[in-house]
Amino acid sequence: MHTSSSPTIVIVPGLRDHVADHWQTHLADRLTERLDDVRVVPPLEHHKLSRAARVAALDEVVREIDGPVVLVAHSAGVMTTVHWARTSHHPVLGALLVTPADVEVPLPPGYPTPVDLREGGWTPIPRRRLPFPSIV
């Protein structure tokens, strides 16, 4: 278990997970070079469209951290974060939520369909206030 007096930054990727030339991957690389307390939720090997599996992966990363976290989430990673926040009691100092995916409407070609997302548990989108400060 990791312990620290400063918060751990947890990066929560979207459905495409880790894309080499993506701002979130570059951010993770640069932060890891400069800070000791950075974690990235790893890509899923199975059940890639399962919201429950993605929430469990985020929870697994956070449970290994003894202390507060700052979440940086992108696209469907924002949806993962808001679903996770409904049940987690881990201290979160804040969240940067970038380009939340609207999984209730059709996404661009090449992305999952609304039916796929509904079957994966992504809808409805939670609309309650988050229990920690956040910026979109």
Side-chain angles (χ1 to χ4, degrees):
M1 182 170 288
H2 170 75
T3 61
S4 173
S5 59
S6 62
T8 299
I9 297 170
V10 176
I11 298 176
V12 188
L15 291 177
R16 295 190 308 153
D17 290 317
H18 301 276
V19 177
D21 195 21
H22 190 279
W23 72 265
Q24 197 166 341
T25 307
H26 293 295
L27 176 67
D29 292 345
R30 284 181 180 58
L31 288 176
T32 306
E33 291 170 1
R34 293 174 171 84
L35 303 171
D36 294 329
D37 302 329
V38 179
R39 304 286 183 276
V40 178
V41 176
L44 294 180
E45 306 241 347
H46 305 287
H47 310 295
K48 291 183 176 270
L49 279 184
S50 168
R51 188 254 318 148
R54 289 188 180 268
V55 168
L58 170 56
D59 195 57
E60 185 175 332
V61 169
V62 172
R63 278 186 291 131
E64 294 178 359
I65 300 167
D66 183 23
V69 298
V70 171
L71 301 167
V72 177
H74 175 251
S75 190
V78 174
M79 297 300 103
T80 299
T81 299
V82 299
H83 280 281
W84 172 83
R86 293 173 28 202
T87 58
S88 176
H89 301 292
H90 194 91
V92 177
L93 293 181
L96 172 62
L97 307 173
V98 182
T99 321
D102 186 349
V103 295
E104 294 176 332
V105 299
L107 298 174
Y111 284 89
T113 67
V115 171
D116 294 334
L117 292 167
R118 184 174 57 251
E119 290 174 356
W122 292 96
T123 57
I125 296 172
R127 288 182 162 76
R128 290 187 180 172
R129 182 180 298 272
L130 291 171
F132 44 79
S134 59
I135 186 168
V136 178

